[in-house]
Amino acid sequence: GTALSFARFGQGTGPIWLDDVFCTGSESELLECPHNGIGNHNCRHFEDASVRCSLVPCSYGDIRLADGSTSYEGRVEICNDGTYGTVCDDLWDDNDAEVVCRQIGYFGGMALSFAFFGEGSGPIWLDNVFCTGFETELLECPHNGIGNHNCAIIIVVILKMLLLGAV
């Protein structure tokens, strides 16, 4: 990522918790970096730190939900060759939705179709997905093969998870 100074994305309000933070880049969280101590500072909000992160490419088979109003609903997108693409809703049912929910850490699942959360962009990676509901990942389910589809872009898989709690 890139460090940006002087409240590049706007000044914060409230307490300033960290000052003189010096990270090497190998830390896994900000509080592991040397600093003056929590709440010890000589700053004002015009000095608030900002950052622009680099995107980490997705890995083969990663799932994300796009354009839902919560983290547990949205258009199903799957990664192939470092790029997310959509899943066609041909044969899509609650068994498929249950596998997706399990893969990303939720219980249950309800399949929605006909671009309920809007059309995707990019490639259509999967079509004719046919899960039994017991698989741990979507790619374990039978399908036409990555990139093989007979689906119009408007017919992409949509999913809304039942809010039964996280796994």
Side-chain angles (χ1 to χ4, degrees):
T2 304
L4 305 169
S5 300
F6 299 108
R8 176 73 177 267
F9 299 108
Q11 295 182 22
T13 60
I16 296 174
W17 293 115
L18 294 175
D19 188 16
D20 295 332
V21 178
F22 184 76
C23 298
T24 64
S26 62
E27 299 84 0
S28 59
E29 58 185 55
L30 190 61
L31 288 177
E32 292 178 2
C33 303
H35 54 79
N36 285 348
I38 305 282
N40 295 326
H41 69 87
N42 61 359
C43 291
R44 295 186 42 193
H45 283 295
F46 74 86
E47 297 175 87
D48 287 346
S50 302
V51 65
R52 179 171 286 126
C53 297
S54 303
L55 291 175
V56 176
C58 58
S59 298
Y60 179 73
D62 285 352
I63 296 285
R64 72 178 180 188
L65 300 179
D67 296 332
S69 59
T70 69
S71 64
Y72 56 86
E73 67 180 9
R75 181 181 54 257
V76 177
E77 297 184 346
I78 189 164
C79 181
N80 181 51
D81 287 334
T83 303
Y84 278 103
T86 57
V87 179
C88 186
D89 71 353
D90 295 347
L91 304 180
W92 191 257
D93 64 16
D94 288 349
N95 289 331
D96 307 315
E98 186 172 349
V99 172
V100 168
C101 294
R102 182 180 305 114
Q103 184 173 344
I104 62 174
Y106 291 97
F107 292 110
M110 180 177 64
L112 302 171
S113 299
F114 301 108
F116 188 85
F117 292 102
E119 294 181 28
S121 60
I124 298 172
W125 286 133
L126 292 178
D127 191 11
N128 294 329
V129 177
F130 191 74
C131 300
T132 64
F134 296 102
E135 299 86 351
T136 57
E137 296 183 1
L138 192 61
L139 286 177
E140 293 175 6
C141 304
H143 54 79
N144 282 2
I146 300 291
N148 295 325
H149 69 87
N150 61 355
C151 205
I153 193 66
I154 194 162
I155 305 175
V156 294
V157 168
I158 307 305
L159 170 72
K160 183 167 185 170
M161 295 183 206
L162 299 175
L163 185 55
L164 298 176
V167 173

